[in-house]
Amino acid sequence: MKRKTLSLISASIMALAGPGLAGEAVKVGMITTLSGGGAGLGIDVRDGFMLALEQAGDSGIEVVIEDDQRKPELAVQLADRMIQSDKVDVLTGIIWSNLAMAVVPAATAQGKFYLSPNAGPSALAGKGCNENYFNVAWQNDNLHEAAGAYANSAGFKNSFILAPNYPAGKDALAGYKRFFEGDLAGELYTKLGQTDYAAEIAQIRASGADSVFFFLPGGMGISFLKQYSGSGIDLPVVGPAFSFDQGILQAVGEAALGVKNTSQWNKDIDNPTNAAFVETFQAKYGRLPSLYASQGFDTANLLISAVKAADVHDADAFRAALKAADFNSTRGDFAFGPNNHPIQDIYVREVIKEGDVFTNKIIATSLKQHSDAYAAECKM
Amino acid sequence: MSLILLAEQVLNGLQFGVMLFLMAAGLTLIFGVMGLINLAHGSLYMIGAFAAAGVAAATGSFLLALAASLAAAAIVGGVIELVVIRRLYQRDHLDQVLATFALILVLSEATRWAFGSFPLYLNIPPALSGSVRLPGGIEYSLYRLSLIGIGLLIALALFWLISKTRIGMRIRAGENDREMIAALGVDISKLYTVIFALGAALAGLSGALVGAIQSVQVGMGEPVLILAFVVIVIGGIGSIKGALIGAVLVGLTDTLGRVLLPPFFATFMEKSAATTVGSSLSSMLIYILMAAVLIFRPSGLYGRA
């Protein structure tokens, strides 16, 4: 239904635009999570993406949006349908690494372009890289590596680290350990989706650690932070931005105040694109953008820049246009490395309260012009 | 591992178990009395948490929030019993699973439509924050201690309700022979609605109590629902006593497994491998427990053969 309405709207826009438009529209298939527990992320990516298209005016891009319900098998079906019956040229939108692993290799093998607005599994950055796969967000390890680098500069010597027991959780701890030079007071894998951390917090208390690093995205992070702050332990906590994004900070409340987290984006990065993005996003949707929204916005602007520069049916020219990354990013400088993953600065943010709203402020740059650990393995 | 840490973990396991009991009690009553598999029980847990978060944000009172969670879950439970569930008693289990699964989707999307896609804020009341020193020098969270107390109180109240009151007598009679008590002139459909609403209210209350230290979001009920099913299978379907024992067993097994298994494997394995193996095995532990119980007692600890 939604899909029909959207294509109807875009069709009528196309019709109104009249003969001034050269060639046919570029069709984009967006598969993202719009229902269930993880819907906040997909909605932010979609809203950021659509905001950029709207601001670009008539960009000759037609978008088909579908909800993957966070299910890999459904994402695969949607991708097949978009490629075969909607005849999309470009796919985008997937939030979760396991869904990306199910969809991306098959799509790029069929010669379609895939622009990732969020997931960056290591398998697609190293040996499994593809010339038609562009990651506009980060490689999964990046923010954790930055957290490790920050822990060194903060003088932490003995960290307790924990993450859920699944591939992205293992990447997270590996990323932190790659940069952290101190010792580990403890290393724990929790159950994916676990919401009670009393047992883990008791172990942290008993471990003699001087700091805690955790990667617990979404609801897991909310639960952990609330329980941690209620436990009376006052060790400093550091983590990637995923547990501190704009969508969930309000649910954590006071418990998150002062916590340091790492991110490639924040609303106070000082450049005109970002300032305009934050202002227009808030005006249109009535909430502050999250990093996911910024990633959706950047993905759309990258696409628009490539569509302006080259014809999508000339794959080599279009690929070169994407690779040039000739667009104004909300992050300021943005370039692709040899494996089509970003080379970018990663910041340390602190959770603060502005009026009634909990949000983040940049306090330092953790890693400058950072690439990823897998680029050397990529041959294309 | 020190004795104090171990004692604290036992308390954590007990608290987890007692909250599971609130979920499992309703589930086991509904299954035992009406023969209905209710997958939507987790949605009632979610509705309780959302109602509490909404009322707490509007009034600032945790007690009102708890009352709202009871009321909202009971009302929603009563309405879905009247509109949907009632048509399922005579159908086979597959139809019941399909229909109540549909209810999960409907209730989740309705909640998302009403409250938005982002998690809500619900915190513990200031009076219960902080920790207390227990005999033996254990520092323990006052809120979690209160959860154990509330859970045990509710368990006592349920036992009293089932064994000493008229409605409890009818529930027990309904479990034994539905046709007979209908023949004796008891309004069986009213009884079913009451039981369903009671189970729903307990699920809603546990959602609100647990939501205060976890995350109030769409889909929060389904993981708990699976555990609650494990609990009632272990305890024996239809038995409140079984649900209590099963819940505490599952809570303790899960918590102590998570804490003790990784160091146990570390005594003869390399450390990071031990962490991985230990945490993988600990997440399977309650299912292993369930399988073990079923081998020796196929109808659960307190189920009727």
mmCIF file of all heavy atoms in Angstrom, chain A residues 34-37 43 165 170 187 189 191 194-196 198-200 202 219 222-223 226-227 247 250-251, chain B residues 5 9 12 109 112 117-122 144 211-215 218 254 258 275-276 279-280 283:
data_model
loop_
_atom_site.group_PDB
_atom_site.id
_atom_site.type_symbol
_atom_site.label_atom_id
_atom_site.label_comp_id
_atom_site.label_asym_id
_atom_site.label_seq_id
_atom_site.Cartn_x
_atom_site.Cartn_y
_atom_site.Cartn_z
ATOM 1 N N LEU A 34 11.116 -0.954 9.565
ATOM 2 C CA LEU A 34 10.130 0.075 9.894
ATOM 3 C C LEU A 34 9.096 -0.402 10.907
ATOM 4 O O LEU A 34 8.206 0.339 11.288
ATOM 5 C CB LEU A 34 9.418 0.539 8.615
ATOM 6 C CG LEU A 34 10.349 1.142 7.552
ATOM 7 C CD1 LEU A 34 9.593 1.407 6.267
ATOM 8 C CD2 LEU A 34 10.988 2.423 8.050
ATOM 9 N N SER A 35 9.180 -1.683 11.322
ATOM 10 C CA SER A 35 8.248 -2.138 12.348
ATOM 11 C C SER A 35 8.996 -2.994 13.350
ATOM 12 O O SER A 35 10.118 -3.443 13.084
ATOM 13 C CB SER A 35 7.097 -2.929 11.718
ATOM 14 O OG SER A 35 7.600 -4.070 11.083
ATOM 15 N N GLY A 36 8.385 -3.221 14.515
ATOM 16 C CA GLY A 36 9.029 -4.028 15.548
ATOM 17 C C GLY A 36 10.013 -3.208 16.371
ATOM 18 O O GLY A 36 10.062 -1.982 16.265
ATOM 19 N N GLY A 37 10.803 -3.922 17.180
ATOM 20 C CA GLY A 37 11.658 -3.258 18.152
ATOM 21 C C GLY A 37 12.734 -2.374 17.573
ATOM 22 O O GLY A 37 13.099 -1.366 18.159
ATOM 23 N N ILE A 43 13.513 4.054 10.615
ATOM 24 C CA ILE A 43 12.719 5.262 10.386
ATOM 25 C C ILE A 43 13.624 6.481 10.269
ATOM 26 O O ILE A 43 13.442 7.332 9.405
ATOM 27 C CB ILE A 43 11.678 5.422 11.518
ATOM 28 C CG1 ILE A 43 10.589 4.375 11.326
ATOM 29 C CG2 ILE A 43 11.083 6.821 11.526
ATOM 30 C CD1 ILE A 43 9.603 4.292 12.450
ATOM 31 N N ASN A 165 26.759 -11.884 22.394
ATOM 32 C CA ASN A 165 27.430 -13.012 21.765
ATOM 33 C C ASN A 165 26.905 -13.221 20.340
ATOM 34 O O ASN A 165 26.107 -14.111 20.091
ATOM 35 C CB ASN A 165 27.178 -14.257 22.630
ATOM 36 C CG ASN A 165 28.085 -15.396 22.271
ATOM 37 O OD1 ASN A 165 29.041 -15.219 21.520
ATOM 38 N ND2 ASN A 165 27.787 -16.573 22.800
ATOM 39 N N LYS A 170 31.364 -9.618 18.638
ATOM 40 C CA LYS A 170 32.765 -10.048 18.620
ATOM 41 C C LYS A 170 33.626 -9.022 17.888
ATOM 42 O O LYS A 170 34.751 -8.727 18.312
ATOM 43 C CB LYS A 170 32.865 -11.426 17.982
ATOM 44 C CG LYS A 170 32.187 -12.438 18.884
ATOM 45 C CD LYS A 170 32.297 -13.854 18.416
ATOM 46 C CE LYS A 170 31.622 -14.704 19.491
ATOM 47 N NZ LYS A 170 31.341 -16.048 19.074
ATOM 48 N N GLU A 187 36.251 -9.987 30.408
ATOM 49 C CA GLU A 187 35.723 -9.942 29.049
ATOM 50 C C GLU A 187 34.493 -10.845 29.035
ATOM 51 O O GLU A 187 34.586 -12.013 29.389
ATOM 52 C CB GLU A 187 36.791 -10.462 28.091
ATOM 53 C CG GLU A 187 36.379 -10.467 26.648
ATOM 54 C CD GLU A 187 37.511 -10.934 25.725
ATOM 55 O OE1 GLU A 187 38.629 -11.158 26.228
ATOM 56 O OE2 GLU A 187 37.262 -11.086 24.533
ATOM 57 N N TYR A 189 30.741 -12.100 27.107
ATOM 58 C CA TYR A 189 29.722 -12.078 26.061
ATOM 59 C C TYR A 189 28.371 -12.339 26.702
ATOM 60 O O TYR A 189 28.197 -13.331 27.396
ATOM 61 C CB TYR A 189 30.013 -13.131 25.002
ATOM 62 C CG TYR A 189 31.180 -12.771 24.128
ATOM 63 C CD1 TYR A 189 32.362 -13.489 24.178
ATOM 64 C CD2 TYR A 189 31.091 -11.676 23.286
ATOM 65 C CE1 TYR A 189 33.437 -13.133 23.386
ATOM 66 C CE2 TYR A 189 32.158 -11.318 22.484
ATOM 67 C CZ TYR A 189 33.329 -12.048 22.535
ATOM 68 O OH TYR A 189 34.381 -11.690 21.761
ATOM 69 N N LYS A 191 24.011 -12.637 26.360
ATOM 70 C CA LYS A 191 23.056 -13.183 25.404
ATOM 71 C C LYS A 191 22.519 -12.049 24.531
ATOM 72 O O LYS A 191 22.245 -10.964 25.037
ATOM 73 C CB LYS A 191 21.912 -13.831 26.191
ATOM 74 C CG LYS A 191 21.455 -15.140 25.617
ATOM 75 C CD LYS A 191 20.310 -15.708 26.424
ATOM 76 C CE LYS A 191 20.624 -15.919 27.888
ATOM 77 N NZ LYS A 191 19.480 -16.374 28.667
ATOM 78 N N GLN A 194 19.466 -9.876 25.705
ATOM 79 C CA GLN A 194 19.386 -9.940 27.165
ATOM 80 C C GLN A 194 18.997 -8.571 27.721
ATOM 81 O O GLN A 194 19.455 -7.537 27.238
ATOM 82 C CB GLN A 194 20.761 -10.354 27.702
ATOM 83 C CG GLN A 194 20.846 -10.475 29.204
ATOM 84 C CD GLN A 194 22.222 -11.007 29.632
ATOM 85 O OE1 GLN A 194 22.840 -11.787 28.921
ATOM 86 N NE2 GLN A 194 22.694 -10.578 30.778
ATOM 87 N N THR A 195 18.146 -8.550 28.744
ATOM 88 C CA THR A 195 17.751 -7.254 29.283
ATOM 89 C C THR A 195 18.067 -7.119 30.762
ATOM 90 O O THR A 195 17.886 -6.053 31.326
ATOM 91 C CB THR A 195 16.242 -7.021 29.097
ATOM 92 O OG1 THR A 195 15.570 -8.192 29.525
ATOM 93 C CG2 THR A 195 15.911 -6.738 27.649
ATOM 94 N N ASP A 196 18.536 -8.183 31.398
ATOM 95 C CA ASP A 196 18.883 -8.051 32.806
ATOM 96 C C ASP A 196 20.378 -8.269 32.983
ATOM 97 O O ASP A 196 20.902 -9.317 32.625
ATOM 98 C CB ASP A 196 18.101 -9.058 33.650
ATOM 99 C CG ASP A 196 18.145 -8.656 35.109
ATOM 100 O OD1 ASP A 196 19.244 -8.722 35.703
ATOM 101 O OD2 ASP A 196 17.121 -8.240 35.633
ATOM 102 N N ALA A 198 22.113 -7.729 36.007
ATOM 103 C CA ALA A 198 22.508 -7.746 37.413
ATOM 104 C C ALA A 198 23.744 -8.620 37.622
ATOM 105 O O ALA A 198 24.678 -8.242 38.331
ATOM 106 C CB ALA A 198 21.355 -8.251 38.260
ATOM 107 N N ALA A 199 23.768 -9.791 36.975
ATOM 108 C CA ALA A 199 24.881 -10.717 37.174
ATOM 109 C C ALA A 199 26.179 -10.125 36.639
ATOM 110 O O ALA A 199 27.232 -10.220 37.282
ATOM 111 C CB ALA A 199 24.573 -12.042 36.480
ATOM 112 N N GLU A 200 26.110 -9.489 35.469
ATOM 113 C CA GLU A 200 27.309 -8.907 34.876
ATOM 114 C C GLU A 200 27.810 -7.731 35.705
ATOM 115 O O GLU A 200 29.013 -7.546 35.897
ATOM 116 C CB GLU A 200 27.014 -8.433 33.448
ATOM 117 C CG GLU A 200 26.848 -9.553 32.424
ATOM 118 C CD GLU A 200 25.541 -10.318 32.553
ATOM 119 O OE1 GLU A 200 24.631 -9.830 33.259
ATOM 120 O OE2 GLU A 200 25.431 -11.416 31.967
ATOM 121 N N ALA A 202 27.435 -7.225 38.881
ATOM 122 C CA ALA A 202 28.090 -7.725 40.094
ATOM 123 C C ALA A 202 29.522 -8.163 39.778
ATOM 124 O O ALA A 202 30.441 -7.953 40.576
ATOM 125 C CB ALA A 202 27.289 -8.883 40.681
ATOM 126 N N GLY A 219 17.740 -1.541 22.959
ATOM 127 C CA GLY A 219 17.144 -1.762 24.273
ATOM 128 C C GLY A 219 18.108 -2.375 25.275
ATOM 129 O O GLY A 219 18.030 -2.110 26.478
ATOM 130 N N ILE A 222 19.948 0.429 26.920
ATOM 131 C CA ILE A 222 19.091 1.173 27.850
ATOM 132 C C ILE A 222 19.031 0.431 29.180
ATOM 133 O O ILE A 222 19.235 1.005 30.251
ATOM 134 C CB ILE A 222 17.662 1.324 27.277
ATOM 135 C CG1 ILE A 222 17.692 2.074 25.955
ATOM 136 C CG2 ILE A 222 16.760 2.043 28.273
ATOM 137 C CD1 ILE A 222 16.323 2.218 25.303
ATOM 138 N N SER A 223 18.775 -0.881 29.096
ATOM 139 C CA SER A 223 18.668 -1.674 30.320
ATOM 140 C C SER A 223 19.980 -1.652 31.085
ATOM 141 O O SER A 223 20.001 -1.441 32.295
ATOM 142 C CB SER A 223 18.331 -3.129 29.976
ATOM 143 O OG SER A 223 17.167 -3.176 29.201
ATOM 144 N N LYS A 226 20.686 1.820 32.799
ATOM 145 C CA LYS A 226 19.810 2.105 33.944
ATOM 146 C C LYS A 226 20.231 1.273 35.149
ATOM 147 O O LYS A 226 20.296 1.764 36.274
ATOM 148 C CB LYS A 226 18.358 1.801 33.576
ATOM 149 C CG LYS A 226 17.690 2.926 32.787
ATOM 150 C CD LYS A 226 16.437 2.451 32.101
ATOM 151 C CE LYS A 226 15.205 2.592 32.958
ATOM 152 N NZ LYS A 226 13.983 2.289 32.158
ATOM 153 N N GLN A 227 20.530 -0.015 34.886
ATOM 154 C CA GLN A 227 20.886 -0.886 36.003
ATOM 155 C C GLN A 227 22.266 -0.541 36.544
ATOM 156 O O GLN A 227 22.517 -0.607 37.746
ATOM 157 C CB GLN A 227 20.813 -2.348 35.552
ATOM 158 C CG GLN A 227 19.384 -2.761 35.249
ATOM 159 C CD GLN A 227 19.283 -4.030 34.430
ATOM 160 O OE1 GLN A 227 20.174 -4.865 34.453
ATOM 161 N NE2 GLN A 227 18.204 -4.174 33.694
ATOM 162 N N GLY A 247 17.620 8.719 19.554
ATOM 163 C CA GLY A 247 16.358 7.996 19.733
ATOM 164 C C GLY A 247 16.235 7.345 21.093
ATOM 165 O O GLY A 247 15.142 7.209 21.624
ATOM 166 N N GLN A 250 16.610 9.575 25.518
ATOM 167 C CA GLN A 250 15.514 10.052 26.373
ATOM 168 C C GLN A 250 14.992 8.916 27.253
ATOM 169 O O GLN A 250 14.493 9.147 28.351
ATOM 170 C CB GLN A 250 14.367 10.628 25.549
ATOM 171 C CG GLN A 250 14.783 11.544 24.396
ATOM 172 C CD GLN A 250 15.866 12.537 24.758
ATOM 173 O OE1 GLN A 250 15.848 13.153 25.829
ATOM 174 N NE2 GLN A 250 16.849 12.712 23.881
ATOM 175 N N ALA A 251 15.109 7.668 26.738
ATOM 176 C CA ALA A 251 14.628 6.530 27.524
ATOM 177 C C ALA A 251 15.620 6.157 28.627
ATOM 178 O O ALA A 251 15.242 5.574 29.632
ATOM 179 C CB ALA A 251 14.370 5.332 26.619
ATOM 180 N N LEU B 5 29.797 -12.386 46.589
ATOM 181 C CA LEU B 5 29.402 -12.242 45.191
ATOM 182 C C LEU B 5 28.419 -13.345 44.813
ATOM 183 O O LEU B 5 27.414 -13.106 44.141
ATOM 184 C CB LEU B 5 30.650 -12.297 44.303
ATOM 185 C CG LEU B 5 30.418 -12.077 42.807
ATOM 186 C CD1 LEU B 5 29.750 -10.741 42.561
ATOM 187 C CD2 LEU B 5 31.734 -12.151 42.053
ATOM 188 N N GLN B 9 24.571 -13.049 43.526
ATOM 189 C CA GLN B 9 24.070 -13.639 42.282
ATOM 190 C C GLN B 9 22.857 -14.532 42.537
ATOM 191 O O GLN B 9 21.960 -14.609 41.693
ATOM 192 C CB GLN B 9 25.179 -14.437 41.580
ATOM 193 C CG GLN B 9 26.417 -13.632 41.232
ATOM 194 C CD GLN B 9 26.167 -12.589 40.164
ATOM 195 O OE1 GLN B 9 25.028 -12.197 39.909
ATOM 196 N NE2 GLN B 9 27.234 -12.099 39.540
ATOM 197 N N ASN B 12 20.050 -12.246 42.638
ATOM 198 C CA ASN B 12 19.701 -11.826 41.281
ATOM 199 C C ASN B 12 18.870 -12.895 40.579
ATOM 200 O O ASN B 12 17.894 -12.590 39.890
ATOM 201 C CB ASN B 12 20.970 -11.560 40.462
ATOM 202 C CG ASN B 12 21.632 -10.257 40.856
ATOM 203 O OD1 ASN B 12 20.967 -9.335 41.324
ATOM 204 N ND2 ASN B 12 22.937 -10.183 40.696
ATOM 205 N N GLU B 109 1.951 -3.275 16.645
ATOM 206 C CA GLU B 109 1.840 -2.118 15.751
ATOM 207 C C GLU B 109 0.912 -1.061 16.335
ATOM 208 O O GLU B 109 1.141 0.130 16.163
ATOM 209 C CB GLU B 109 1.373 -2.546 14.358
ATOM 210 C CG GLU B 109 2.451 -3.282 13.566
ATOM 211 C CD GLU B 109 3.824 -2.615 13.618
ATOM 212 O OE1 GLU B 109 3.961 -1.486 13.124
ATOM 213 O OE2 GLU B 109 4.764 -3.212 14.177
ATOM 214 N N ARG B 112 2.984 0.837 18.750
ATOM 215 C CA ARG B 112 3.912 1.704 18.042
ATOM 216 C C ARG B 112 3.189 2.926 17.486
ATOM 217 O O ARG B 112 3.704 4.037 17.484
ATOM 218 C CB ARG B 112 4.567 0.934 16.896
ATOM 219 C CG ARG B 112 6.040 1.201 16.762
ATOM 220 C CD ARG B 112 6.699 0.129 15.940
ATOM 221 N NE ARG B 112 6.121 0.050 14.617
ATOM 222 C CZ ARG B 112 6.380 0.926 13.655
ATOM 223 N NH1 ARG B 112 7.222 1.927 13.872
ATOM 224 N NH2 ARG B 112 5.817 0.804 12.488
ATOM 225 N N SER B 117 7.981 5.002 17.732
ATOM 226 C CA SER B 117 8.911 3.893 17.512
ATOM 227 C C SER B 117 10.086 3.902 18.464
ATOM 228 O O SER B 117 10.922 3.017 18.426
ATOM 229 C CB SER B 117 9.473 3.965 16.101
ATOM 230 O OG SER B 117 8.432 3.891 15.195
ATOM 231 N N PHE B 118 10.206 4.938 19.278
ATOM 232 C CA PHE B 118 11.390 5.037 20.115
ATOM 233 C C PHE B 118 11.073 4.573 21.534
ATOM 234 O O PHE B 118 9.955 4.760 22.013
ATOM 235 C CB PHE B 118 11.914 6.477 20.093
ATOM 236 C CG PHE B 118 12.315 6.906 18.715
ATOM 237 C CD1 PHE B 118 11.450 7.617 17.916
ATOM 238 C CD2 PHE B 118 13.540 6.535 18.195
ATOM 239 C CE1 PHE B 118 11.800 7.981 16.611
ATOM 240 C CE2 PHE B 118 13.909 6.887 16.901
ATOM 241 C CZ PHE B 118 13.036 7.618 16.117
ATOM 242 N N PRO B 119 12.050 3.967 22.208
ATOM 243 C CA PRO B 119 11.799 3.464 23.568
ATOM 244 C C PRO B 119 11.356 4.583 24.517
ATOM 245 O O PRO B 119 11.742 5.742 24.339
ATOM 246 C CB PRO B 119 13.159 2.911 23.999
ATOM 247 C CG PRO B 119 13.933 2.714 22.748
ATOM 248 C CD PRO B 119 13.417 3.701 21.758
ATOM 249 N N LEU B 120 10.558 4.215 25.507
ATOM 250 C CA LEU B 120 10.053 5.208 26.456
ATOM 251 C C LEU B 120 10.866 5.198 27.748
ATOM 252 O O LEU B 120 11.577 4.244 28.052
ATOM 253 C CB LEU B 120 8.601 4.919 26.824
ATOM 254 C CG LEU B 120 7.546 5.080 25.743
ATOM 255 C CD1 LEU B 120 6.166 5.047 26.383
ATOM 256 C CD2 LEU B 120 7.723 6.364 24.975
ATOM 257 N N TYR B 121 10.716 6.281 28.502
ATOM 258 C CA TYR B 121 11.442 6.420 29.752
ATOM 259 C C TYR B 121 10.553 6.000 30.917
ATOM 260 O O TYR B 121 9.425 6.457 31.055
ATOM 261 C CB TYR B 121 11.867 7.874 29.931
ATOM 262 C CG TYR B 121 12.543 8.170 31.232
ATOM 263 C CD1 TYR B 121 13.861 7.768 31.442
ATOM 264 C CD2 TYR B 121 11.888 8.853 32.240
ATOM 265 C CE1 TYR B 121 14.501 8.037 32.634
ATOM 266 C CE2 TYR B 121 12.519 9.130 33.449
ATOM 267 C CZ TYR B 121 13.816 8.716 33.634
ATOM 268 O OH TYR B 121 14.455 8.983 34.819
ATOM 269 N N LEU B 122 11.071 5.104 31.749
ATOM 270 C CA LEU B 122 10.374 4.744 32.984
ATOM 271 C C LEU B 122 11.466 4.415 33.988
ATOM 272 O O LEU B 122 12.314 3.572 33.726
ATOM 273 C CB LEU B 122 9.463 3.534 32.761
ATOM 274 C CG LEU B 122 8.753 2.973 34.000
ATOM 275 C CD1 LEU B 122 7.748 3.973 34.548
ATOM 276 C CD2 LEU B 122 8.036 1.666 33.680
ATOM 277 N N ARG B 144 15.509 -4.122 43.504
ATOM 278 C CA ARG B 144 15.445 -5.554 43.177
ATOM 279 C C ARG B 144 14.941 -6.354 44.384
ATOM 280 O O ARG B 144 14.192 -7.318 44.229
ATOM 281 C CB ARG B 144 16.816 -6.063 42.737
ATOM 282 C CG ARG B 144 17.182 -5.619 41.342
ATOM 283 C CD ARG B 144 18.528 -6.152 40.916
ATOM 284 N NE ARG B 144 18.957 -5.537 39.678
ATOM 285 C CZ ARG B 144 18.663 -5.998 38.468
ATOM 286 N NH1 ARG B 144 17.952 -7.101 38.337
ATOM 287 N NH2 ARG B 144 19.071 -5.380 37.394
ATOM 288 N N GLY B 211 10.042 -3.101 33.544
ATOM 289 C CA GLY B 211 10.306 -1.987 32.628
ATOM 290 C C GLY B 211 11.071 -0.854 33.286
ATOM 291 O O GLY B 211 11.835 -0.153 32.630
ATOM 292 N N ALA B 212 10.892 -0.686 34.580
ATOM 293 C CA ALA B 212 11.566 0.417 35.277
ATOM 294 C C ALA B 212 13.077 0.235 35.319
ATOM 295 O O ALA B 212 13.816 1.216 35.433
ATOM 296 C CB ALA B 212 11.020 0.549 36.699
ATOM 297 N N ILE B 213 13.561 -1.006 35.243
ATOM 298 C CA ILE B 213 15.018 -1.166 35.206
ATOM 299 C C ILE B 213 15.487 -1.661 33.842
ATOM 300 O O ILE B 213 16.660 -1.933 33.648
ATOM 301 C CB ILE B 213 15.540 -2.131 36.302
ATOM 302 C CG1 ILE B 213 14.736 -3.412 36.343
ATOM 303 C CG2 ILE B 213 15.559 -1.452 37.653
ATOM 304 C CD1 ILE B 213 15.338 -4.460 37.264
ATOM 305 N N GLN B 214 14.549 -1.812 32.892
ATOM 306 C CA GLN B 214 14.970 -2.224 31.562
ATOM 307 C C GLN B 214 14.474 -1.201 30.554
ATOM 308 O O GLN B 214 14.314 -0.039 30.872
ATOM 309 C CB GLN B 214 14.467 -3.630 31.268
ATOM 310 C CG GLN B 214 15.083 -4.634 32.232
ATOM 311 C CD GLN B 214 14.704 -6.056 31.918
ATOM 312 O OE1 GLN B 214 13.968 -6.313 30.978
ATOM 313 N NE2 GLN B 214 15.208 -6.979 32.700
ATOM 314 N N SER B 215 14.226 -1.661 29.341
ATOM 315 C CA SER B 215 13.859 -0.716 28.311
ATOM 316 C C SER B 215 12.411 -0.951 27.903
ATOM 317 O O SER B 215 12.022 -2.078 27.624
ATOM 318 C CB SER B 215 14.838 -0.903 27.162
ATOM 319 O OG SER B 215 14.191 -0.846 25.956
ATOM 320 N N VAL B 218 8.652 -1.569 22.000
ATOM 321 C CA VAL B 218 7.821 -2.542 21.292
ATOM 322 C C VAL B 218 8.614 -3.832 21.115
ATOM 323 O O VAL B 218 9.792 -3.807 20.802
ATOM 324 C CB VAL B 218 7.400 -1.977 19.923
ATOM 325 C CG1 VAL B 218 6.688 -3.027 19.099
ATOM 326 C CG2 VAL B 218 6.510 -0.767 20.112
ATOM 327 N N ASP B 254 19.681 -19.744 35.014
ATOM 328 C CA ASP B 254 20.156 -18.809 34.013
ATOM 329 C C ASP B 254 21.225 -17.886 34.598
ATOM 330 O O ASP B 254 22.299 -17.719 34.026
ATOM 331 C CB ASP B 254 18.976 -17.996 33.483
ATOM 332 C CG ASP B 254 19.389 -17.118 32.315
ATOM 333 O OD1 ASP B 254 19.703 -17.686 31.257
ATOM 334 O OD2 ASP B 254 19.417 -15.890 32.468
ATOM 335 N N ARG B 258 25.337 -18.128 33.825
ATOM 336 C CA ARG B 258 26.050 -17.015 33.194
ATOM 337 C C ARG B 258 27.286 -16.636 33.993
ATOM 338 O O ARG B 258 28.301 -16.243 33.446
ATOM 339 C CB ARG B 258 25.118 -15.809 33.148
ATOM 340 C CG ARG B 258 24.637 -15.469 31.778
ATOM 341 C CD ARG B 258 23.309 -14.766 31.849
ATOM 342 N NE ARG B 258 23.363 -13.510 32.562
ATOM 343 C CZ ARG B 258 22.273 -12.889 33.058
ATOM 344 N NH1 ARG B 258 21.089 -13.433 32.918
ATOM 345 N NH2 ARG B 258 22.374 -11.743 33.684
ATOM 346 N N THR B 275 35.446 -17.815 27.558
ATOM 347 C CA THR B 275 34.347 -16.852 27.614
ATOM 348 C C THR B 275 33.299 -17.198 26.570
ATOM 349 O O THR B 275 32.096 -17.211 26.843
ATOM 350 C CB THR B 275 34.880 -15.433 27.336
ATOM 351 O OG1 THR B 275 36.065 -15.250 28.092
ATOM 352 C CG2 THR B 275 33.879 -14.395 27.721
ATOM 353 N N THR B 276 33.762 -17.472 25.353
ATOM 354 C CA THR B 276 32.834 -17.766 24.271
ATOM 355 C C THR B 276 32.060 -19.056 24.550
ATOM 356 O O THR B 276 30.829 -19.077 24.469
ATOM 357 C CB THR B 276 33.597 -17.919 22.941
ATOM 358 O OG1 THR B 276 34.527 -16.847 22.844
ATOM 359 C CG2 THR B 276 32.659 -17.898 21.776
ATOM 360 N N SER B 279 29.693 -18.626 27.643
ATOM 361 C CA SER B 279 28.463 -17.854 27.463
ATOM 362 C C SER B 279 27.522 -18.553 26.492
ATOM 363 O O SER B 279 26.311 -18.449 26.635
ATOM 364 C CB SER B 279 28.740 -16.411 27.034
ATOM 365 O OG SER B 279 29.919 -16.298 26.339
ATOM 366 N N SER B 280 28.073 -19.271 25.507
ATOM 367 C CA SER B 280 27.171 -19.998 24.604
ATOM 368 C C SER B 280 26.438 -21.098 25.357
ATOM 369 O O SER B 280 25.225 -21.258 25.223
ATOM 370 C CB SER B 280 27.963 -20.628 23.444
ATOM 371 O OG SER B 280 28.722 -19.658 22.808
ATOM 372 N N SER B 283 23.685 -19.837 27.722
ATOM 373 C CA SER B 283 22.404 -19.429 27.144
ATOM 374 C C SER B 283 21.560 -20.645 26.752
ATOM 375 O O SER B 283 20.372 -20.518 26.499
ATOM 376 C CB SER B 283 22.617 -18.485 25.956
ATOM 377 O OG SER B 283 23.470 -19.058 25.019
#
